[in-house]
Amino acid sequence: VTVKGLVEQDVVADTAVWQMDVSSAGDDLVATQQQLENSVAAVKKFLTGKGFPEQEISVSPIKVLDRKAVQYGEQREGQTRYLIQNSVILRSTNVALVQTVSRLTNEIIRAGVVLSSERGCNGPSFLFTKLNEIKPQMLVEATQNARKAAEQFAADSGSTVGKIKRAQQGIFSISERDQMVSDGYEGGYNNCNADPNKRVRVVTTVDYYLE
């Protein structure tokens, strides 16, 4: 008989990654770059002012788009020539503080910073990185649940559960706690990970002999 053992456990994210994309546009490259540098400095000042240490903040390489230099591209009337983009990235284990500060981005906007969301995510992503700490116990419980199912089959058929013929651990998945999980698909998919409340899920598949 082939049976499955399902275990789910609710956990809270232990790491937050917040990428703030900033951009500036203009026809003068030097002035446009200076505007971007001022925006990056404003974002960093905002974060350090809220209590995040500088070592948790990093800045990605600058990306420059020259519309006149793009092959097959064209500069439309009224459109600036240069678009410069950069990202300020915060990686912190202070999840609660990141949650609180992420609601205060209007302060950055009031400072004249243009925030974009090319990734489709406007806020921080929350991650659970301690799967290895809970994995052993979850596997034990999943195997126990599988055996209970096998014992029910055995009772219904007047048999007893014998040895394991084959066992498959299955895949551990981490999803948003309130995200709907459909049958046959473990964990769903959410690119933003905007909720710090997570659900860890594993399904083991075990083949037992019935005697």
Side-chain angles (χ1 to χ4, degrees), residues 92-146:
S92 175
T93 56
N94 194 337
V95 172
L97 182 59
V98 173
Q99 266 192 295
T100 300
V101 174
S102 65
R103 303 187 184 103
L104 305 176
T105 51
N106 58 312
E107 296 182 19
I108 305 177
I109 298 173
R110 282 201 299 267
V113 177
V114 178
L115 293 176
S116 58
S117 55
E118 292 184 351
R119 299 171 297 115
C121 302
N122 295 318
S125 296
F126 297 99
L127 311 174
F128 179 70
T129 64
K130 299 179 180 179
L131 179 61
N132 286 338
E133 295 181 9
I134 63 173
K135 184 184 291 186
Q137 182 58 35
M138 289 188 68
L139 286 175
V140 169
E141 294 177 12
T143 303
Q144 290 173 345
N145 291 340

Side-chain angles (χ1 to χ4, degrees), residues 53-82:
E54 290 190 7
Q55 57 266 30
E56 293 184 348
I57 304 169
S58 61
V59 180
S60 68
I62 293 177
K63 294 187 294 184
V64 180
L65 172 64
D66 182 353
R67 292 188 174 94
K68 285 188 176 181
V70 177
Q71 189 176 15
Y72 307 118
E74 60 179 17
Q75 184 179 0
R76 300 173 185 172
E77 185 177 353
Q79 191 177 46
T80 55
R81 175 175 177 177
Y82 298 106

Side-chain angles (χ1 to χ4, degrees), residues 143-199:
T143 303
Q144 290 173 345
N145 291 340
R147 185 170 182 86
K148 289 178 182 178
E151 289 172 347
Q152 184 61 53
F153 273 105
D156 293 342
S157 63
S159 306
T160 58
V161 178
K163 296 181 179 179
I164 292 177
K165 177 182 179 182
R166 180 174 55 246
Q168 181 179 348
Q169 172 185 299
I171 299 173
F172 278 86
S173 64
I174 303 175
S175 63
E176 308 269 322
R177 184 186 63 187
D178 299 321
Q179 178 181 340
M180 185 174 294
V181 180
S182 59
D183 281 343
Y185 187 70
E186 299 181 11
Y189 177 74
N190 188 317
N191 190 42
C192 293
N193 289 307
D195 188 355
N197 298 300
K198 307 293 182 182
R199 177 160 294 167

